[in-house]
Amino acid sequence: MLEQSYWKVVLRYGHVGQRKEVYVARYLAFNEEVSLLGVCECAKEMPGVKHSKLVSFAKNIDYTEYLTGL
């Protein structure tokens, strides 16, 4: 059985007015073999994310912080 890795990713979301955006923290879980690049690739497919400079911040976190963020 594969272990999980947990990530805090802050994404830029659009569609909140002309030239405006909002930053939203998402807490994601992946197989432990997924790298930062894999996390960014997954995040880019989330609805509403602005595709240019979409990830503002990404950090590998522990399970406790993941649960707190949810």
Side-chain angles (χ1 to χ4, degrees):
M1 182 172 154
L2 291 173
E3 295 292 322
Q4 293 286 104
S5 65
Y6 303 97
W7 295 82
K8 177 181 180 179
V9 181
V10 178
L11 302 166
R12 289 175 53 182
Y13 279 80
H15 311 294
V16 291
Q18 186 176 16
R19 296 183 186 215
K20 294 184 182 171
E21 62 214 10
V22 64
Y23 292 88
V24 178
R26 296 288 182 211
Y27 294 85
L28 307 171
F30 295 94
N31 292 333
E32 86 175 335
E33 62 195 25
V34 174
S35 67
L36 176 60
L37 183 59
V39 171
C40 291
E41 286 295 315
C42 179
K44 149 173 109 170
E45 301 300 322
M46 297 178 92
V49 173
K50 284 193 162 189
H51 293 288
S52 61
K53 302 178 187 171
L54 63 115
V55 176
S56 176
F57 174 83
K59 175 178 139 182
N60 196 323
I61 58 174
D62 63 15
Y63 183 67
T64 306
E65 191 174 348
Y66 171 76
L67 289 178
T68 302
L70 287 179

